[in-house]
């Protein structure tokens, strides 16, 4: 018997890592009156649009 989507309680989170070994964190910034999401490495301070761009 299948379990409904709402009944699933475990949430899988994915940690993104930079090539330098630092962890990638998503940050929100206001730029020109708009909210922008930016992925930034904690160690080398490199910024990209999304975490998958660090490859």
């Amino acid at each position: 018997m299948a379990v409904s989507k709402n009944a699933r309680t475990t949430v899988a989170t994915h940690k993104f890592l930079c090539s330098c070994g630092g962890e990638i964190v998503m940050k929100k910034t206001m730029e020109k009156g708009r909210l922008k999401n930016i992925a930034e490495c904690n160690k080398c301070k490199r910024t990209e649009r999304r975490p998958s761009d660090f490859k």
Side-chain angles (χ1 to χ4, degrees):
M1 195 158 136
V3 178
S4 72
K5 284 188 246 178
N6 294 334
R8 296 179 192 150
T9 57
T10 57
V11 176
T13 58
H14 189 280
K15 281 194 173 183
F16 291 98
L17 297 175
C18 184
S19 57
C20 70
E23 190 178 343
I24 297 170
V25 183
M26 291 299 291
K27 293 187 176 183
K28 293 181 181 180
T29 58
M30 285 294 285
E31 202 171 294
K32 297 181 183 176
R34 294 184 177 187
L35 198 63
K36 274 192 144 184
N37 292 323
I38 294 176
E40 184 178 29
C41 174
N42 284 342
K43 197 172 182 183
C44 66
K45 302 297 181 194
R46 183 176 152 201
T47 58
E48 295 288 341
R49 238 177 99 212
R50 59 179 77 96
S52 59
D53 292 342
F54 280 86
K55 294 179 183 175

